[in-house]
Amino acid sequence: MSLIVQKFGGTSVADAEKIKAAARKAIRAQQEGHQVVMVVSAMGKQTDALVTLAAEISDNPPAREMDMLLSTGEQVSVAVMAMAIHELGSEAVSLTGGQIGIKTDSSHTKARIQSIDTERMKRHLDAGKIIIAAGFQGIDDDLNITTLGRGGSDTTAVALAAVLQADACEIYTDVDGVYTTDPRILPDARKMDRVSHDEMLELASLGAGVMHSRSIEFGKKFDVPIHVRNSASFSDEPGTVIGSLPEAMDRAVSGAALTKNEARISIVGVPDRPGSMQLIIANLADVQVAVDMMVQNVGAEGLAEISFTVLESDLETALKAVERSAAELGADSVTHDANVSKVSIVGLGMATQSGVADRMFRALAADEINIQAITTSQIKISALVSREQGLEALRAVHGEFELEKAPSQRTDFGEAPARVPQSNAVDIVSRLQKMEELTIEKVELDDSQARVTIAHVPDKPGIAAAVFEAVAAEEIMVDMIVQGTGHDGQANLSFTVPRDAVAAAVKTTGDVAQRLGCGPVTHDPRIAILSVFGIGIRTHTGVGVRMFNALSQAGINVEMINTSEMRVNVVVDADKGKTGLAALEEAFADVIG
Ligand code: ADP
Ligand code: ASP
Ligand code: MG
């Protein structure tokens, strides 16, 4: 018998009418012959209200008690949803996370799922009941109530779909599907018919709050088809399917996102030797701050400047940890800017098309938007801008790539694939456990690249655009791009190109630098790029720690870094590539799966 998971977000269960409407959808699915598991969020803004209540009582409420408090929101919803279903003449049973047997670790307010017991759910389903599961919560080994982090009901839903081997996982929300960017910020945004897991993972972590990014990790790993749709649609309009393929094959960019509230931290005058980065990252991981947009500029006299961004809400905690690191390292000073936003473009097509970065930078320059930092990965480019220009920056890049227009060449999906034959539930559960802990797919060495660096890039719009336009005009494929924010208003801009193109790249870049009055341009004709791939790489702060630990113990200095949801890349000396690879393989041996 087919099984369907339907998740209803806060707005979709905000009042009695909406709860009844959701109940009717579930009953209809059951009447169509499916077994139905509903996952519900707290009603409306109830979770926010509980957070506010806690803040009125304590500046620093114990995390365990926060979870005890916040989990009540979902408990109300499941009970009333079950009542609604009974009222409509069907049978339902409400279950808390603990009753379902969603076991998590004990990291309160951001717990990770370790296992889910399907036996009780199966029994109820076989008895013809609709299961109403409380989203966002679980229990740890000591039976303490835990929560998965804000927005975590999506993760509950997709995880249940995975372990129950559901045929479909429908996410009912207050928009028609996944848009090219948040339609409430940019009314021009277009609903996509499809989006790939990889793109959605990046978009979700870059600010597209429509899905909890960890839910997409489950979707990818267990091949769960996720269908995001509007709960208010009576006609059951199709929404967006998040699956393995992108919407279109001819597009470099699929979506754009804005992370409004970011903060930049820079450590100036860091001794440029193995281990500096490792210490900084380890101290941040200790306080569970995930680091983003990390940039290292090698400056004069063997002193480096390391900058990175964190969510503004993590700034205070991060600063304390960084001050500690700076003191230990004997760095000169720590500066920060709490008023920045990050605009990003995402697209699977980017990995194979050149001339994407320069278009993005040109679009920003055309609107007089200064780029304070740049980082890239295979399928995304992020630029840090002042917060007051954030929205304008989003509009500029969305327009530049014509995301409001439907793609002309849609991916041919052929026949809808039958659900992939599933391994047994025990196997899925064991992989599930491993996944939320950490799985690394592989560690890789790329020794085909060279590095070009322009020093003293002035802090004004248009420089990156000019550089990458000139490089693209030479048809040189740029891989990593990293630009830091100089504390003195001057930055370094580094990028990697294939070794056989480095001479041309240096010449072109030199010409541009001269014209724009920056430079000198230096280069390294041979570098090595070491990459660690996996899922949820960035949110597991432990990955960076292990990686930099291993490299520093092997005496290897990291020259450039970039991170994404799926990988961390570091540039090291070409002669250290093989040693570095071996060190990383050893460091991750237990989690390479
Ligand atoms: P729910 O309560 O149903 O989980 P959320 O508020 O968490 O709903 O997510 C839906 C919201 O996500 C939308 O109202 C929209 O403003 C926002 N959003 C952000 N980025 C996107 C995007 N790319 N596509 C669709 N919605 C988005
Ligand atoms: N109610 C929780 C929140 O508001 C979980 C969720 O809605 O996904 O964050
Ligand atoms: Mg949500």
Side-chain angles (χ1 to χ4, degrees):
M1 195 177 192
S2 73
L3 191 153
I4 182 167
V5 174
Q6 298 186 324
K7 179 253 171 178
F8 292 85
T11 2
S12 308
V13 293
D15 56 37
E17 280 318 309
K18 288 184 171 160
I19 287 171
K20 288 183 202 166
R24 282 192 290 270
K25 273 201 203 310
I27 291 173
R28 202 174 59 203
Q30 192 187 41
Q31 285 165 348
E32 285 167 2
H34 305 287
Q35 293 189 324
V36 181
V37 175
M38 289 176 97
V39 174
V40 290
S41 291
M43 291 171 65
K45 301 252 174 262
Q46 179 60 16
T47 312
D48 291 334
L50 293 169
V51 169
T52 307
L53 171 64
E56 282 165 11
I57 289 167
S58 163
D59 284 341
N60 193 12
R64 180 187 183 280
E65 306 312 331
M66 267 324 266
D67 280 352
M68 185 66 101
L69 178 67
L70 297 192
S71 62
T72 62
E74 272 69 13
Q75 202 172 321
V76 170
S77 302
V78 287
V80 291
M81 186 65 77
M83 291 174 195
I85 287 182
H86 281 286
E87 187 62 25
L88 291 165
S90 287
E91 283 199 57
V93 55
S94 64
L95 297 171
T96 63
Q99 288 171 334
I100 298 169
I102 300 187
K103 275 275 170 63
T104 71
D105 62 20
S106 303
S107 43
H108 284 289
T109 76
K110 44 182 126 180
R112 285 187 184 260
I113 297 177
Q114 290 185 329
S115 63
I116 299 178
D117 189 1
T118 55
E119 195 268 326
R120 183 170 187 173
M121 286 188 286
K122 290 223 166 103
R123 199 162 17 99
H124 287 304
L125 288 170
D126 289 341
K129 291 192 178 156
I130 294 176
I131 289 181
I132 327 274
F136 166 65
Q137 53 175 266
I139 47 163
D140 73 1
D141 281 342
D142 282 334
L143 309 183
N144 295 302
I145 295 177
T146 54
T147 65
L148 309 179
R150 295 303 306 270
S153 295
D154 297 328
T155 295
T156 306
V158 183
L160 288 182
V163 289
L164 291 167
Q165 304 175 32
D167 298 271
C169 181
E170 298 180 332
I171 305 289
Y172 285 98
T173 182
D174 60 356
V175 277
D176 289 342
V178 179
Y179 282 66
T180 49
T181 197
D182 188 342
R184 293 189 207 284
I185 306 189
L186 212 67
D188 269 358
R190 181 182 61 84
K191 191 198 89 185
M192 296 185 270
D193 294 338
R194 299 251 177 181
V195 63
S196 69
H197 287 130
D198 288 357
E199 289 166 321
M200 193 66 228
L201 254 178
E202 294 293 350
L203 285 170
S205 82
L206 294 168
V210 60
M211 290 296 291
H212 194 232
S213 76
R214 275 164 54 197
S215 70
I216 312 299
E217 297 175 14
F218 278 93
K220 179 173 153 93
K221 192 92 173 187
F222 300 102
D223 200 20
V224 181
I226 302 171
H227 188 176
V228 182
R229 54 204 307 196
N230 199 327
S231 58
S233 152
F234 293 109
S235 51
D236 277 332
E237 291 283 317
T240 303
V241 175
I242 306 172
S244 54
L245 295 173
E247 184 181 42
M249 289 307 195
D250 61 335
R251 286 217 158 165
V253 178
S254 305
L258 182 69
T259 313
K260 203 157 160 260
N261 297 321
E262 293 251 317
R264 176 188 55 78
I265 300 179
S266 301
I267 315 172
V268 184
V270 182
D272 186 24
R273 58 166 189 252
S276 300
M277 189 65 96
Q278 184 267 330
L279 181 77
I280 294 165
I281 292 181
N283 282 341
L284 283 162
D286 261 0
V287 289
Q288 299 208 5
V289 172
V291 176
D292 193 20
M293 290 192 84
M294 197 182 303
V295 178
Q296 170 162 353
N297 282 335
V298 177
E301 291 137 27
L303 293 180
E305 179 173 320
I306 295 175
S307 300
F308 51 86
T309 62
V310 295
L311 287 178
E312 197 193 3
S313 52
D314 283 335
L315 177 63
E316 219 180 298
T317 318
L319 273 177
K320 280 194 201 125
V322 169
E323 300 276 5
R324 212 158 24 131
S325 311
E328 272 179 63
L329 290 169
D332 291 342
S333 59
V334 175
T335 64
H336 71 272
D337 180 351
N339 230 341
V340 288
S341 294
K342 179 176 63 176
V343 62
S344 308
I345 54 175
V346 172
L348 280 186
M350 218 181 269
T352 49
Q353 292 186 30
S354 59
V356 178
D358 57 297
R359 276 178 71 188
M360 175 180 184
F361 302 149
R362 176 53 67 198
L364 294 174
D367 277 359
E368 296 287 317
I369 297 167
N370 186 36
I371 305 173
Q372 302 184 14
I374 301 169
T375 55
T376 62
S377 81
Q378 268 66 14
I379 66 162
K380 73 152 193 235
I381 303 175
S382 297
L384 196 67
V385 302
S386 74
R387 194 166 299 160
E388 56 179 23
Q389 290 184 306
L391 179 53
E392 207 186 330
L394 180 68
R395 193 178 295 123
V397 300
H398 194 273
E400 171 63 31
F401 293 98
E402 300 189 325
L403 298 182
E404 69 286 352
K405 292 194 187 146
S408 52
Q409 251 186 294
R410 287 176 191 274
T411 308
D412 178 9
F413 295 98
E415 291 285 303
R419 193 93 173 75
V420 192
Q422 293 282 349
S423 31
N424 66 44
V426 175
D427 178 42
I428 292 189
V429 170
S430 70
R431 285 195 287 147
L432 183 85
Q433 172 171 5
K434 217 170 158 197
M435 180 184 70
E436 279 256 286
E437 277 173 7
L438 176 66
T439 357
I440 301 292
E441 280 159 27
K442 62 177 174 200
V443 179
E444 205 175 72
L445 166 65
D446 172 358
D447 52 12
S448 67
Q449 298 274 306
R451 172 178 57 79
V452 180
T453 299
I454 316 172
H456 302 298
V457 173
D459 203 13
K460 64 175 195 217
I463 311 279
V467 169
F468 293 105
E469 267 168 4
V471 173
E474 298 286 320
E475 297 193 1
I476 299 171
M477 194 79 188
V478 173
D479 185 7
M480 286 170 72
I481 303 175
V482 168
Q483 182 199 301
T485 339
H487 70 288
D488 54 357
Q490 306 238 305
N492 277 6
L493 173 58
S494 293
F495 55 97
T496 69
V497 296
R499 284 182 191 169
D500 59 7
V502 70
V506 169
K507 173 162 188 328
T508 310
T509 311
D511 294 346
V512 177
Q514 198 171 26
R515 180 154 50 86
L516 299 174
C518 48
V521 173
T522 54
H523 75 284
D524 185 341
R526 291 174 63 245
I527 53 154
I529 302 180
L530 291 166
S531 309
V532 174
F533 292 82
I535 297 180
I537 289 280
R538 201 181 57 81
T539 48
H540 275 285
T541 47
V543 177
V545 175
R546 271 201 208 198
M547 191 165 178
F548 292 106
N549 243 332
L551 293 172
S552 110
Q553 271 165 21
I556 298 174
N557 199 16
V558 173
E559 295 169 22
M560 276 165 82
I561 305 166
N562 67 20
T563 58
S564 72
E565 291 311 292
M566 281 159 290
R567 59 198 275 166
V568 184
N569 302 316
V570 297
V571 168
V572 304
D573 189 289
D575 296 329
K576 301 274 173 69
K578 292 225 165 64
T579 324
L581 181 66
L584 292 179
E585 276 170 350
E586 199 193 315
F588 289 103
D590 62 320
V591 282
I592 294 181

